[in-house]
C-alpha cells in the first residue's frame, strides 16, 4: 500500500490564534485533533479494557517500542497478526521510538555514538543497541499507524555542547530512518531536540522539517526544565513547524499544560498522567486534584466530579472510592483510571469545540480559573 501523502493524511478545519483543529487520517481510522493520546506502555492502558478506552472517547493510543521489543518481542507480535490484533484495539496506534526510554534510564546507558546507543536492558541487564534501523524495524513489525524516529534525549540542564551534540545526532539518525521500510500505510514522524536553547531548537526544527516527515514532534521538553521556559520554547518551535502537518508535543498531560500547548498550535500529546495519578489514589477534576485518602471524603456522597459522565461518576461516591483506595482494592485503580482519562479527553474535546467556534481564549481562561479555585 502506498503511503498517504502528508496533504492527504492531515487536514486543518479551523484556526483560532495559533490553536488548530483538524483531522489526521491513519490506516486504522481518523483522529480529530487536538487529541490526547492515552499511553499503553506494554500494549495495555493500565487496568482498562480497550472497549472502555474507546467508550471514554479516546481515539488513538500510544504503545512503547522499548518495552515491546524486549517483552514479548516484535517478531512474536508480528507473527500473531500485528499490534492491533494482539492488543485487540482496532483504532489508530502511535509507537514511540524507544529513544525517550533509553535516554531517561540514564544509568543503563553504556555508550552513545553516531551509529547507535548501547545500554543494558531493564529486563535482564543484557547489553542491547538501538539504531534508527532497529527503531524502524521494530515499529514496522508492530504495524503501528504512526512510527517515530529514534532521537537522543538529553537531560534537562545539560551543557550547550551536550545539547548541540544531541541535535546533530538526532538529525543524523532521522536522515537514516526516513526512507527505511514501513508497515502498510504507516506514517512516520520526525522529532526535534534542542532543549530550551532558542538557537539549537530552531536549528533542530529546521533540519528535521527539511526531511519532510508526515508529522513533526517536539521532543526533549517536559523533562524537568522551567515550565515558563518550556511553554516559551513550545510557542517558538510550533511556529517553525509546517502548518499542513500534524504537530506532536511528547509527554504532557496536566490540564494546564494541555491548554498551553494547544494554544501554541500543537495537535497531539500523550501522557501517563491519568493512570499514574489513579495509582496515587487521586482524581483529576475541573477544580484541581482530589486526594481520595483525605479524611474529608469519608462521608462524601458526591461523585468524583459532578460534571463528569464517566462510569465511575455515574454510580460511585467519593466515600466509596476512598474506601477502595485505602483498602488497596483493584477497583479503585480502575474507577480512577476511567475517570481521569475521561477528564483529559473531555478537556481536549472542549478545546477542539472552542477552536471551531473561535472561542479558545475564553475556554482556556475559564478552565484555568476553575483549576485555581478548588471548591471541593
Ligand atoms: Zn468521572
Amino acid at each position: 500500500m502506498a503511503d498517504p501523502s502528508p496533504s492527504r493524511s492531515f487536514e486543518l478545519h479551523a484556526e483560532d490564534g495559533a490553536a488548530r483543529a483538524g483531522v489526521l487520517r491513519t490506516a486504522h481510522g481518523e483522529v480529530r485533533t487536538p487529541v490526547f493520546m492515552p499511553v499503553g506502555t506494554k500494549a495495555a492502558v493500565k487496568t482498562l479494557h480497550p472497549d472502555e478506552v474507546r467508550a471514554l472517547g479516546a481515539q488513538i493510543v500510544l504503545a512503547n517500542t522499548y518495552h515491546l521489543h524486549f517483552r514479548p518481542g516484535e517478531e512474536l507480535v508480528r507473527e500473531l497478526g500485528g499490534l492491533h490484533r494482539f492488543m485487540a484495539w482496532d483504532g489508530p496506534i502511535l509507537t514511540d521510538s524507544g529513544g525517550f526510554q533509553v535516554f531517561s534510564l540514564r544509568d543503563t546507558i553504556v555508550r552513545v555514538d553516531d551509529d547507535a546507543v548501547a545500554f543494558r536492558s531493564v529486563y535482564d541487564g543484557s547489553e542491547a543497541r538501538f539504531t534508527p534501523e532497529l527503531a524502524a524495524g521494530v515499529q514496522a513489525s508492530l504495524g503501528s499507524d504512526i512510527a517515530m524516529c529514534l532521537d537522543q534525549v538529553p537531560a534537562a540542564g545539560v551543557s550547550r555542547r551536550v545539547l548541540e551534540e544531541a541535535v546533530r545526532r538526532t538529525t543524523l539518525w532521522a536522515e537514516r530512518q526516513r526512507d527505511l521500510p514501513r508497515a502498510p500505510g504507516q506514517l512516520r514522524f520526525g522529532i526535534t531536540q534542542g532543549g530550551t536553547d532558542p538557537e539549537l531548537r530552531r536549528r533542530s526544527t529546521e533540519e528535521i522539517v527539511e526531511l519532510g516527515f508526515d508529522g513533526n514532534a517536539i521532543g526533549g521538553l517536559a523533562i524537568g526544565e522551567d515550565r515558563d521556559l518550556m511553554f516559551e520554547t513550545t510557542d517558538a518551535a510550533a511556529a517553525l513547524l509546517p502548518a499542513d502537518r500534524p504537530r506532536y508535543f511528547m509527554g504532557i498531560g496536566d490540564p494546564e499544560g494541555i491548554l498551553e500547548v494547544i494554544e501554541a498550535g500543537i495537535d497531539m500529546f500523550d501522557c501517563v498522567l491519568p493512570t499514574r495519578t489513579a495509582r496515587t489514589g487521586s482524581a483529576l477534576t475541573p477544580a484541581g486534584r482530589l486526594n481520595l485518602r483525605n479524611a474529608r471524603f469519608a462521608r462524601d456522597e458526591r461523585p468524583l466530579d459532578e460534571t463528569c459522565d464517566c462510569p465511575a461518576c455515574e454510580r460511585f461516591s467519593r466515600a466509596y472510592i476512598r474506601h477502595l483506595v485505602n483498602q488497596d482494592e483493584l477497583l479503585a485503580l480502575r474507577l480512577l483510571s476511567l475517570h481521569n482519562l475521561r477528564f483529559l479527553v473531555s478537556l481536549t474535546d472542549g478545546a477542539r469545540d472552542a477552536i471551531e467556534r473561535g472561542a479558545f481564549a475564553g475556554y482556556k481562561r475559564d478552565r484555568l480559573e476553575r483549576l485555581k479555585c478548588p471548591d471541593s
Side-chain angles (χ1 to χ4, degrees):
M1 193 195 297
D3 297 317
S5 75
S7 56
R8 285 175 59 205
S9 67
F10 186 66
E11 208 176 287
L12 274 183
H13 287 169
E15 288 174 85
D16 184 4
R20 306 129 53 94
V23 174
L24 171 63
R25 296 194 176 83
T26 77
H28 288 81
E30 292 189 349
V31 177
R32 286 167 301 131
T33 64
V35 63
F36 175 78
M37 303 185 284
V39 179
T41 303
K42 299 181 177 180
V45 179
K46 288 194 192 305
T47 77
L48 301 183
H49 187 295
D51 292 350
E52 293 174 321
V53 174
R54 169 81 76 190
L56 294 170
Q59 307 177 69
I60 172 171
V61 299
L62 192 143
N64 199 284
T65 287
Y66 179 103
H67 292 287
L68 295 176
H69 170 62
F70 291 112
R71 302 286 190 275
E74 66 275 12
E75 281 313 307
L76 182 99
V77 174
R78 192 183 53 79
E79 224 180 280
L80 296 175
L83 189 54
H84 295 84
R85 183 186 291 185
F86 187 57
M87 65 187 284
W89 167 267
D90 63 3
I93 300 175
L94 181 147
T95 43
D96 64 8
S97 63
F100 179 77
Q101 278 68 35
V102 170
F103 287 101
S104 61
L105 298 163
R106 241 155 263 287
D107 297 345
T108 66
I109 295 177
V110 177
R111 73 190 156 275
V112 192
D113 57 33
D114 285 353
D115 182 51
V117 51
F119 58 97
R120 299 204 172 276
S121 146
V122 290
Y123 288 94
D124 58 12
S126 63
E127 189 167 325
R129 283 159 46 85
F130 270 16
T131 60
E133 290 74 20
L134 182 97
V138 172
Q139 295 178 85
S141 293
L142 294 173
S144 56
D145 298 282
I146 301 172
M148 302 301 299
C149 284
L150 185 67
D151 57 338
Q152 179 169 348
V153 191
V158 297
S159 71
R160 192 168 193 279
R161 193 187 55 76
V162 172
L163 215 49
E164 188 165 17
E165 184 69 353
V167 164
R168 184 189 66 80
R169 191 166 284 139
T170 295
T171 298
L172 189 74
W173 286 354
E175 284 166 355
R176 269 163 59 190
Q177 192 167 339
R178 187 182 68 167
D179 298 320
L180 295 173
R182 315 174 178 204
Q186 189 175 53
L187 303 173
R188 185 172 283 153
F189 284 17
I191 306 178
T192 72
Q193 289 293 332
T196 55
D197 183 297
E199 200 230 313
L200 291 178
R201 181 62 66 173
R202 169 182 285 271
R203 184 190 305 174
S204 180
T205 305
E206 287 172 353
E207 289 175 358
I208 296 299
V209 167
E210 179 67 27
L211 294 172
F213 289 103
D214 303 308
N216 297 290
I218 297 176
L221 293 180
I223 53 173
E225 71 284 5
D226 177 77
R227 288 270 288 185
D228 289 338
L229 198 53
M230 174 185 86
F231 292 134
E232 232 172 79
T233 305
T234 307
D235 283 341
L240 294 171
L241 292 171
D244 65 346
R245 302 184 195 197
R247 303 164 175 168
Y248 167 22
F249 187 106
M250 305 183 83
I252 199 156
D254 65 290
E256 187 206 10
I258 285 178
L259 294 167
E260 291 289 345
V261 301
I262 290 176
E263 187 175 47
I266 297 296
D267 308 301
M268 310 162 69
F269 32 88
D270 71 286
C271 197
V272 295
L273 185 99
T275 45
R276 184 166 289 170
T277 305
R279 292 203 290 285
T280 68
S282 295
L284 304 169
T285 80
R289 288 189 198 199
L290 298 184
N291 176 356
L292 274 301
R293 292 183 197 279
N294 194 307
R296 70 194 165 104
F297 300 122
R299 289 182 172 76
D300 194 334
E301 291 191 285
R302 291 176 293 171
L304 295 171
D305 169 5
E306 268 158 337
T307 65
C308 180
D309 58 2
C310 85
C313 292
E314 259 170 18
R315 289 179 62 172
F316 304 98
S317 66
R318 293 175 179 182
Y320 178 61
I321 296 174
R322 169 184 147 76
H323 160 70
L324 297 178
V325 167
N326 281 340
Q327 296 309 311
D328 292 326
E329 281 292 336
L330 296 178
L331 185 57
L333 281 183
R334 286 189 27 72
L335 294 179
L336 287 169
S337 295
L338 287 165
H339 169 76
N340 288 342
L341 182 49
R342 178 62 194 151
F343 175 77
L344 294 180
V345 167
S346 303
L347 177 75
T348 307
D349 286 352
R352 188 167 58 241
D353 289 348
I355 292 165
E356 282 166 357
R357 288 183 283 107
F360 180 73
Y363 178 76
K364 181 186 170 214
R365 195 169 49 238
D366 175 55
R367 296 303 304 238
L368 289 181
E369 268 167 25
R370 286 157 72 191
L371 276 173
K372 282 171 195 146
C373 308
D375 59 5
S376 40

